[in-house]
Amino acid sequence: MFFTPTENKDLQSWSDDRLVRHYQHSQQTMFITELYGRYVHLVYGACLKYLEDEEESRDLAMDLFEKILKKLPSSTVKSFKVWLYVLIRNECNNRIRDRRVDREKGEEWGQRQAPEADFLIQFEQLSEEEERDKERRMVKLILKKMPEKRRQCMRLFFFDGYSYKEIASKLALDIKQVKSHLQNGKRQLRQQLEQLQS
């Protein structure tokens, strides 16, 4: 007579074989949960031994629970521990093979893409340089159209690195006038750049 959940809650005392038989008959996950709980630390340890990667081993240990649920009903199991070990070994070998295939594909793709990637990098660098040159030309053009004092303040401050005080002294202006010229110059530059780029 097969176990039903209401008849017995103590699965810990059951043998592996009994749990396997009951799961194969009823496919109730509580039997596998009990069974897998007994071996989960060994499953993780075996995965780690094969894969040598903690995170991947944890993932595979969880995936194996799902595989057991699917494979066990149709499997002939003389010893669950042996059956489980064979499953672990096969799944780890599959992962290792997939890794190798992915690595080889990646290397092959990298070799094929390298010339194209180099071209794209060069193209992007060229485009960026052209864009900067274009912006410089636009800034120079806008500066030429500014009133003389404003243009001089902009050049001395932004291109030559003079302070407000130095500009005021050089152009015979007070600091408030320098700040005003710079503020108006920046506003004019921003507005005209936006117009030219739109």
Side-chain angles (χ1 to χ4, degrees):
M1 183 174 165
F2 279 94
F3 169 88
T4 59
T6 53
E7 291 170 6
N8 189 356
K9 299 285 184 193
D10 188 20
L11 299 177
Q12 292 176 355
S13 62
W14 287 26
S15 68
D16 291 356
D17 290 343
R18 189 175 178 197
L19 288 166
V20 168
R21 284 196 316 274
H22 277 76
Y23 176 69
Q24 287 178 325
H25 177 75
S26 68
Q27 294 189 21
Q28 290 180 330
T29 55
M30 63 183 165
F31 300 115
I32 293 302
T33 303
E34 170 60 32
L35 196 54
Y36 193 70
R38 295 176 186 183
Y39 295 104
V40 69
H41 63 289
L42 296 173
V43 172
Y44 172 72
C47 291
L48 190 56
K49 182 182 168 193
Y50 276 99
L51 302 175
E52 299 176 341
D53 181 285
E54 289 182 13
E55 192 173 335
E56 192 176 4
S57 298
R58 275 193 292 272
D59 289 345
L60 183 53
M62 298 310 294
D63 291 347
L64 280 164
F65 181 78
E66 297 293 325
K67 289 193 180 289
I68 293 166
L69 290 173
K70 290 176 186 170
K71 288 178 179 274
L72 196 56
S74 58
S75 298
T76 303
V77 180
K78 291 180 182 173
S79 163
F80 179 74
K81 199 171 182 178
V82 172
W83 180 87
L84 179 60
Y85 180 76
V86 171
L87 180 66
I88 294 166
R89 187 190 62 205
N90 291 342
E91 290 301 318
C92 285
N93 285 333
N94 289 342
R95 291 272 178 119
I96 291 165
R97 188 188 62 243
D98 291 347
R99 262 194 219 158
R100 190 170 54 247
V101 169
D102 288 347
R103 188 171 58 244
E104 286 167 3
K105 280 183 181 173
E107 287 168 3
E108 184 184 319
W109 185 87
Q111 289 165 357
R112 281 202 318 263
Q113 297 300 318
E116 188 176 323
D118 289 345
F119 169 75
L120 287 173
I121 289 166
Q122 290 169 359
F123 181 77
E124 283 175 11
Q125 287 171 345
L126 183 64
S127 298
E128 286 171 11
E129 284 174 28
E130 287 175 349
E131 195 62 35
R132 282 195 295 272
D133 287 344
K134 184 180 169 186
E135 284 177 5
R136 280 190 210 107
R137 285 194 302 274
M138 286 192 289
V139 167
K140 285 180 182 177
L141 186 69
I142 294 165
L143 284 172
K144 278 183 187 176
K145 294 179 181 178
M146 286 184 184
E148 181 66 23
K149 290 287 184 193
R150 186 180 297 172
R151 182 174 66 248
Q152 287 177 324
C153 287
M154 293 287 284
R155 281 189 184 280
L156 290 169
F157 186 78
F158 289 105
F159 294 100
D160 300 331
Y162 283 80
S163 67
Y164 292 152
K165 192 174 180 180
E166 289 168 329
I167 296 169
S169 172
K170 195 168 182 69
L171 299 179
L173 299 168
D174 64 41
I175 290 178
K176 283 184 181 178
Q177 288 175 307
V178 171
K179 286 182 179 179
S180 176
H181 282 305
L182 288 171
Q183 225 173 11
N184 291 330
K186 283 190 285 185
R187 188 182 311 111
Q188 183 180 349
L189 185 62
R190 186 173 55 249
Q191 287 170 349
Q192 291 189 17
L193 275 173
E194 283 171 2
Q195 287 171 5
L196 288 169
Q197 289 172 340
S198 61

mmCIF file of all heavy atoms in Angstrom, residues 143-176:
data_model
loop_
_atom_site.group_PDB
_atom_site.id
_atom_site.type_symbol
_atom_site.label_atom_id
_atom_site.label_comp_id
_atom_site.label_asym_id
_atom_site.label_seq_id
_atom_site.Cartn_x
_atom_site.Cartn_y
_atom_site.Cartn_z
ATOM 1 N N LEU A 143 32.157 83.504 -32.109
ATOM 2 C CA LEU A 143 32.981 84.504 -31.405
ATOM 3 C C LEU A 143 33.260 85.728 -32.285
ATOM 4 O O LEU A 143 33.245 86.863 -31.805
ATOM 5 C CB LEU A 143 34.313 83.890 -30.948
ATOM 6 C CG LEU A 143 34.256 82.978 -29.718
ATOM 7 C CD1 LEU A 143 35.595 82.289 -29.504
ATOM 8 C CD2 LEU A 143 33.857 83.752 -28.468
ATOM 9 N N LYS A 144 33.492 85.494 -33.569
ATOM 10 C CA LYS A 144 33.776 86.609 -34.494
ATOM 11 C C LYS A 144 32.613 87.585 -34.562
ATOM 12 O O LYS A 144 32.805 88.777 -34.787
ATOM 13 C CB LYS A 144 34.059 86.068 -35.903
ATOM 14 C CG LYS A 144 35.474 85.584 -36.094
ATOM 15 C CD LYS A 144 35.698 85.139 -37.521
ATOM 16 C CE LYS A 144 37.070 84.502 -37.682
ATOM 17 N NZ LYS A 144 37.288 83.966 -39.024
ATOM 18 N N LYS A 145 31.378 87.055 -34.374
ATOM 19 C CA LYS A 145 30.186 87.900 -34.489
ATOM 20 C C LYS A 145 29.857 88.652 -33.198
ATOM 21 O O LYS A 145 28.949 89.481 -33.179
ATOM 22 C CB LYS A 145 28.987 87.038 -34.890
ATOM 23 C CG LYS A 145 29.126 86.442 -36.287
ATOM 24 C CD LYS A 145 27.920 85.586 -36.622
ATOM 25 C CE LYS A 145 28.045 84.971 -38.008
ATOM 26 N NZ LYS A 145 26.916 84.098 -38.335
ATOM 27 N N MET A 146 30.581 88.343 -32.114
ATOM 28 C CA MET A 146 30.303 88.997 -30.828
ATOM 29 C C MET A 146 30.895 90.409 -30.807
ATOM 30 O O MET A 146 31.890 90.670 -31.484
ATOM 31 C CB MET A 146 30.929 88.182 -29.680
ATOM 32 C CG MET A 146 30.195 86.910 -29.363
ATOM 33 S SD MET A 146 30.941 86.100 -27.922
ATOM 34 C CE MET A 146 29.949 84.611 -27.890
ATOM 35 N N PRO A 147 30.308 91.281 -29.988
ATOM 36 C CA PRO A 147 30.918 92.598 -29.793
ATOM 37 C C PRO A 147 32.358 92.434 -29.292
ATOM 38 O O PRO A 147 32.676 91.459 -28.601
ATOM 39 C CB PRO A 147 30.030 93.253 -28.729
ATOM 40 C CG PRO A 147 28.746 92.493 -28.774
ATOM 41 C CD PRO A 147 29.074 91.111 -29.217
ATOM 42 N N GLU A 148 33.202 93.391 -29.616
ATOM 43 C CA GLU A 148 34.651 93.300 -29.366
ATOM 44 C C GLU A 148 34.997 92.932 -27.920
ATOM 45 O O GLU A 148 35.743 91.987 -27.674
ATOM 46 C CB GLU A 148 35.314 94.634 -29.756
ATOM 47 C CG GLU A 148 36.813 94.673 -29.565
ATOM 48 C CD GLU A 148 37.582 93.724 -30.488
ATOM 49 O OE1 GLU A 148 37.056 93.352 -31.545
ATOM 50 O OE2 GLU A 148 38.710 93.346 -30.124
ATOM 51 N N LYS A 149 34.474 93.669 -26.945
ATOM 52 C CA LYS A 149 34.831 93.435 -25.537
ATOM 53 C C LYS A 149 34.361 92.048 -25.065
ATOM 54 O O LYS A 149 35.067 91.356 -24.332
ATOM 55 C CB LYS A 149 34.225 94.521 -24.632
ATOM 56 C CG LYS A 149 34.841 95.875 -24.784
ATOM 57 C CD LYS A 149 36.225 95.923 -24.166
ATOM 58 C CE LYS A 149 36.793 97.357 -24.256
ATOM 59 N NZ LYS A 149 38.206 97.400 -23.970
ATOM 60 N N ARG A 150 33.167 91.657 -25.485
ATOM 61 C CA ARG A 150 32.631 90.350 -25.112
ATOM 62 C C ARG A 150 33.540 89.244 -25.679
ATOM 63 O O ARG A 150 33.883 88.288 -24.983
ATOM 64 C CB ARG A 150 31.206 90.192 -25.642
ATOM 65 C CG ARG A 150 30.529 88.917 -25.165
ATOM 66 C CD ARG A 150 29.123 88.788 -25.707
ATOM 67 N NE ARG A 150 28.264 89.877 -25.230
ATOM 68 C CZ ARG A 150 27.033 90.097 -25.670
ATOM 69 N NH1 ARG A 150 26.516 89.317 -26.614
ATOM 70 N NH2 ARG A 150 26.322 91.096 -25.212
ATOM 71 N N ARG A 151 33.904 89.390 -26.957
ATOM 72 C CA ARG A 151 34.763 88.400 -27.611
ATOM 73 C C ARG A 151 36.113 88.297 -26.900
ATOM 74 O O ARG A 151 36.604 87.202 -26.629
ATOM 75 C CB ARG A 151 34.964 88.753 -29.081
ATOM 76 C CG ARG A 151 35.823 87.724 -29.807
ATOM 77 C CD ARG A 151 35.927 87.945 -31.302
ATOM 78 N NE ARG A 151 36.647 89.178 -31.617
ATOM 79 C CZ ARG A 151 36.080 90.244 -32.170
ATOM 80 N NH1 ARG A 151 34.800 90.251 -32.495
ATOM 81 N NH2 ARG A 151 36.788 91.330 -32.418
ATOM 82 N N GLN A 152 36.683 89.457 -26.547
ATOM 83 C CA GLN A 152 37.982 89.472 -25.872
ATOM 84 C C GLN A 152 37.897 88.781 -24.496
ATOM 85 O O GLN A 152 38.772 87.995 -24.128
ATOM 86 C CB GLN A 152 38.481 90.919 -25.698
ATOM 87 C CG GLN A 152 38.949 91.547 -26.984
ATOM 88 C CD GLN A 152 39.357 93.006 -26.793
ATOM 89 O OE1 GLN A 152 38.753 93.741 -26.001
ATOM 90 N NE2 GLN A 152 40.369 93.424 -27.532
ATOM 91 N N CYS A 153 36.825 89.074 -23.763
ATOM 92 C CA CYS A 153 36.632 88.438 -22.445
ATOM 93 C C CYS A 153 36.520 86.916 -22.585
ATOM 94 O O CYS A 153 37.139 86.163 -21.822
ATOM 95 C CB CYS A 153 35.374 88.984 -21.759
ATOM 96 S SG CYS A 153 35.549 90.660 -21.133
ATOM 97 N N MET A 154 35.748 86.476 -23.570
ATOM 98 C CA MET A 154 35.558 85.039 -23.804
ATOM 99 C C MET A 154 36.891 84.362 -24.138
ATOM 100 O O MET A 154 37.223 83.311 -23.592
ATOM 101 C CB MET A 154 34.552 84.803 -24.940
ATOM 102 C CG MET A 154 33.135 85.235 -24.625
ATOM 103 S SD MET A 154 32.283 84.157 -23.460
ATOM 104 C CE MET A 154 31.882 82.762 -24.511
ATOM 105 N N ARG A 155 37.641 84.979 -25.043
ATOM 106 C CA ARG A 155 38.931 84.399 -25.460
ATOM 107 C C ARG A 155 39.907 84.320 -24.278
ATOM 108 O O ARG A 155 40.536 83.298 -24.038
ATOM 109 C CB ARG A 155 39.561 85.220 -26.579
ATOM 110 C CG ARG A 155 38.960 84.950 -27.930
ATOM 111 C CD ARG A 155 39.765 85.630 -29.031
ATOM 112 N NE ARG A 155 39.130 85.442 -30.321
ATOM 113 C CZ ARG A 155 39.225 84.333 -31.052
ATOM 114 N NH1 ARG A 155 39.906 83.304 -30.609
ATOM 115 N NH2 ARG A 155 38.616 84.244 -32.223
ATOM 116 N N LEU A 156 40.030 85.431 -23.550
ATOM 117 C CA LEU A 156 40.981 85.477 -22.438
ATOM 118 C C LEU A 156 40.610 84.493 -21.320
ATOM 119 O O LEU A 156 41.478 83.851 -20.737
ATOM 120 C CB LEU A 156 41.069 86.909 -21.876
ATOM 121 C CG LEU A 156 41.750 87.933 -22.779
ATOM 122 C CD1 LEU A 156 41.533 89.353 -22.259
ATOM 123 C CD2 LEU A 156 43.240 87.637 -22.904
ATOM 124 N N PHE A 157 39.307 84.373 -21.048
ATOM 125 C CA PHE A 157 38.870 83.503 -19.955
ATOM 126 C C PHE A 157 38.910 82.021 -20.360
ATOM 127 O O PHE A 157 39.509 81.194 -19.672
ATOM 128 C CB PHE A 157 37.450 83.903 -19.507
ATOM 129 C CG PHE A 157 36.976 83.155 -18.298
ATOM 130 C CD1 PHE A 157 37.421 83.518 -17.027
ATOM 131 C CD2 PHE A 157 36.098 82.090 -18.409
ATOM 132 C CE1 PHE A 157 36.985 82.830 -15.899
ATOM 133 C CE2 PHE A 157 35.660 81.399 -17.293
ATOM 134 C CZ PHE A 157 36.099 81.766 -16.029
ATOM 135 N N PHE A 158 38.263 81.689 -21.493
ATOM 136 C CA PHE A 158 38.121 80.283 -21.863
ATOM 137 C C PHE A 158 39.324 79.693 -22.614
ATOM 138 O O PHE A 158 39.631 78.518 -22.465
ATOM 139 C CB PHE A 158 36.840 80.076 -22.689
ATOM 140 C CG PHE A 158 35.593 80.227 -21.873
ATOM 141 C CD1 PHE A 158 34.811 81.357 -21.985
ATOM 142 C CD2 PHE A 158 35.219 79.256 -20.962
ATOM 143 C CE1 PHE A 158 33.662 81.520 -21.222
ATOM 144 C CE2 PHE A 158 34.077 79.399 -20.190
ATOM 145 C CZ PHE A 158 33.298 80.530 -20.316
ATOM 146 N N PHE A 159 39.990 80.489 -23.413
ATOM 147 C CA PHE A 159 41.094 79.939 -24.221
ATOM 148 C C PHE A 159 42.463 80.184 -23.590
ATOM 149 O O PHE A 159 43.352 79.354 -23.714
ATOM 150 C CB PHE A 159 41.053 80.522 -25.638
ATOM 151 C CG PHE A 159 39.835 80.086 -26.407
ATOM 152 C CD1 PHE A 159 38.736 80.934 -26.524
ATOM 153 C CD2 PHE A 159 39.766 78.837 -27.008
ATOM 154 C CE1 PHE A 159 37.599 80.534 -27.220
ATOM 155 C CE2 PHE A 159 38.641 78.436 -27.702
ATOM 156 C CZ PHE A 159 37.540 79.286 -27.815
ATOM 157 N N ASP A 160 42.605 81.336 -22.918
ATOM 158 C CA ASP A 160 43.923 81.674 -22.375
ATOM 159 C C ASP A 160 44.030 81.474 -20.867
ATOM 160 O O ASP A 160 45.111 81.592 -20.295
ATOM 161 C CB ASP A 160 44.288 83.134 -22.726
ATOM 162 C CG ASP A 160 44.318 83.347 -24.245
ATOM 163 O OD1 ASP A 160 44.621 82.373 -24.973
ATOM 164 O OD2 ASP A 160 44.046 84.472 -24.698
ATOM 165 N N GLY A 161 42.887 81.223 -20.209
ATOM 166 C CA GLY A 161 42.904 80.886 -18.791
ATOM 167 C C GLY A 161 43.124 82.049 -17.832
ATOM 168 O O GLY A 161 43.560 81.860 -16.703
ATOM 169 N N TYR A 162 42.788 83.260 -18.273
ATOM 170 C CA TYR A 162 42.938 84.422 -17.403
ATOM 171 C C TYR A 162 41.815 84.438 -16.362
ATOM 172 O O TYR A 162 40.697 83.989 -16.615
ATOM 173 C CB TYR A 162 42.881 85.730 -18.206
ATOM 174 C CG TYR A 162 44.154 86.058 -18.963
ATOM 175 C CD1 TYR A 162 44.441 85.442 -20.179
ATOM 176 C CD2 TYR A 162 45.049 86.993 -18.465
ATOM 177 C CE1 TYR A 162 45.596 85.741 -20.879
ATOM 178 C CE2 TYR A 162 46.218 87.311 -19.158
ATOM 179 C CZ TYR A 162 46.484 86.669 -20.366
ATOM 180 O OH TYR A 162 47.639 86.974 -21.042
ATOM 181 N N SER A 163 42.109 85.036 -15.189
ATOM 182 C CA SER A 163 41.089 85.189 -14.147
ATOM 183 C C SER A 163 40.270 86.456 -14.437
ATOM 184 O O SER A 163 40.665 87.291 -15.268
ATOM 185 C CB SER A 163 41.754 85.313 -12.775
ATOM 186 O OG SER A 163 42.481 86.529 -12.701
ATOM 187 N N TYR A 164 39.161 86.628 -13.702
ATOM 188 C CA TYR A 164 38.343 87.839 -13.850
ATOM 189 C C TYR A 164 39.201 89.088 -13.625
ATOM 190 O O TYR A 164 39.132 90.060 -14.377
ATOM 191 C CB TYR A 164 37.190 87.863 -12.845
ATOM 192 C CG TYR A 164 36.108 86.833 -13.045
ATOM 193 C CD1 TYR A 164 35.371 86.368 -11.956
ATOM 194 C CD2 TYR A 164 35.791 86.335 -14.295
ATOM 195 C CE1 TYR A 164 34.361 85.438 -12.120
ATOM 196 C CE2 TYR A 164 34.789 85.397 -14.467
ATOM 197 C CZ TYR A 164 34.073 84.944 -13.374
ATOM 198 O OH TYR A 164 33.082 84.030 -13.538
ATOM 199 N N LYS A 165 39.989 89.045 -12.567
ATOM 200 C CA LYS A 165 40.809 90.200 -12.180
ATOM 201 C C LYS A 165 41.830 90.537 -13.275
ATOM 202 O O LYS A 165 42.018 91.709 -13.627
ATOM 203 C CB LYS A 165 41.524 89.877 -10.859
ATOM 204 C CG LYS A 165 42.158 91.059 -10.198
ATOM 205 C CD LYS A 165 42.706 90.669 -8.832
ATOM 206 C CE LYS A 165 43.344 91.878 -8.172
ATOM 207 N NZ LYS A 165 43.897 91.574 -6.860
ATOM 208 N N GLU A 166 42.471 89.507 -13.828
ATOM 209 C CA GLU A 166 43.475 89.716 -14.878
ATOM 210 C C GLU A 166 42.843 90.293 -16.146
ATOM 211 O O GLU A 166 43.406 91.173 -16.791
ATOM 212 C CB GLU A 166 44.194 88.395 -15.202
ATOM 213 C CG GLU A 166 45.125 87.917 -14.099
ATOM 214 C CD GLU A 166 45.606 86.494 -14.292
ATOM 215 O OE1 GLU A 166 44.862 85.668 -14.881
ATOM 216 O OE2 GLU A 166 46.722 86.175 -13.851
ATOM 217 N N ILE A 167 41.638 89.776 -16.490
ATOM 218 C CA ILE A 167 40.935 90.284 -17.678
ATOM 219 C C ILE A 167 40.554 91.749 -17.467
ATOM 220 O O ILE A 167 40.728 92.596 -18.365
ATOM 221 C CB ILE A 167 39.688 89.428 -18.002
ATOM 222 C CG1 ILE A 167 40.100 88.005 -18.362
ATOM 223 C CG2 ILE A 167 38.871 90.053 -19.131
ATOM 224 C CD1 ILE A 167 38.946 87.013 -18.430
ATOM 225 N N ALA A 168 40.037 92.033 -16.272
ATOM 226 C CA ALA A 168 39.639 93.421 -15.949
ATOM 227 C C ALA A 168 40.825 94.361 -16.102
ATOM 228 O O ALA A 168 40.709 95.446 -16.700
ATOM 229 C CB ALA A 168 39.074 93.474 -14.529
ATOM 230 N N SER A 169 41.963 93.961 -15.596
ATOM 231 C CA SER A 169 43.169 94.786 -15.682
ATOM 232 C C SER A 169 43.631 94.941 -17.132
ATOM 233 O O SER A 169 43.958 96.035 -17.579
ATOM 234 C CB SER A 169 44.274 94.128 -14.842
ATOM 235 O OG SER A 169 45.490 94.780 -15.038
ATOM 236 N N LYS A 170 43.623 93.855 -17.889
ATOM 237 C CA LYS A 170 44.110 93.841 -19.270
ATOM 238 C C LYS A 170 43.230 94.686 -20.189
ATOM 239 O O LYS A 170 43.734 95.359 -21.090
ATOM 240 C CB LYS A 170 44.169 92.399 -19.760
ATOM 241 C CG LYS A 170 44.984 92.195 -21.026
ATOM 242 C CD LYS A 170 45.213 90.710 -21.244
ATOM 243 C CE LYS A 170 46.037 90.436 -22.443
ATOM 244 N NZ LYS A 170 47.438 90.827 -22.374
ATOM 245 N N LEU A 171 41.885 94.630 -19.956
ATOM 246 C CA LEU A 171 40.957 95.321 -20.853
ATOM 247 C C LEU A 171 40.434 96.644 -20.274
ATOM 248 O O LEU A 171 39.538 97.264 -20.864
ATOM 249 C CB LEU A 171 39.777 94.405 -21.200
ATOM 250 C CG LEU A 171 40.099 93.089 -21.912
ATOM 251 C CD1 LEU A 171 38.832 92.286 -22.165
ATOM 252 C CD2 LEU A 171 40.818 93.342 -23.236
ATOM 253 N N ALA A 172 40.953 97.029 -19.131
ATOM 254 C CA ALA A 172 40.518 98.272 -18.466
ATOM 255 C C ALA A 172 39.021 98.263 -18.184
ATOM 256 O O ALA A 172 38.284 99.206 -18.516
ATOM 257 C CB ALA A 172 40.924 99.495 -19.287
ATOM 258 N N LEU A 173 38.569 97.173 -17.586
ATOM 259 C CA LEU A 173 37.162 97.014 -17.191
ATOM 260 C C LEU A 173 37.113 96.709 -15.700
ATOM 261 O O LEU A 173 38.112 96.310 -15.116
ATOM 262 C CB LEU A 173 36.525 95.839 -17.944
ATOM 263 C CG LEU A 173 36.468 95.888 -19.471
ATOM 264 C CD1 LEU A 173 36.082 94.530 -20.033
ATOM 265 C CD2 LEU A 173 35.465 96.943 -19.940
ATOM 266 N N ASP A 174 35.918 96.907 -15.092
ATOM 267 C CA ASP A 174 35.815 96.419 -13.714
ATOM 268 C C ASP A 174 35.336 94.959 -13.735
ATOM 269 O O ASP A 174 34.845 94.469 -14.758
ATOM 270 C CB ASP A 174 34.941 97.334 -12.837
ATOM 271 C CG ASP A 174 33.488 97.400 -13.286
ATOM 272 O OD1 ASP A 174 32.938 96.334 -13.651
ATOM 273 O OD2 ASP A 174 32.901 98.505 -13.272
ATOM 274 N N ILE A 175 35.460 94.279 -12.618
ATOM 275 C CA ILE A 175 35.162 92.829 -12.561
ATOM 276 C C ILE A 175 33.708 92.555 -12.907
ATOM 277 O O ILE A 175 33.397 91.561 -13.575
ATOM 278 C CB ILE A 175 35.559 92.246 -11.187
ATOM 279 C CG1 ILE A 175 37.085 92.234 -11.069
ATOM 280 C CG2 ILE A 175 35.014 90.836 -10.998
ATOM 281 C CD1 ILE A 175 37.651 91.743 -9.767
ATOM 282 N N LYS A 176 32.781 93.431 -12.495
ATOM 283 C CA LYS A 176 31.360 93.236 -12.820
ATOM 284 C C LYS A 176 31.140 93.233 -14.332
ATOM 285 O O LYS A 176 30.347 92.442 -14.847
ATOM 286 C CB LYS A 176 30.496 94.327 -12.167
ATOM 287 C CG LYS A 176 30.279 94.115 -10.695
ATOM 288 C CD LYS A 176 29.340 95.162 -10.147
ATOM 289 C CE LYS A 176 29.128 94.988 -8.656
ATOM 290 N NZ LYS A 176 28.257 96.008 -8.095
#
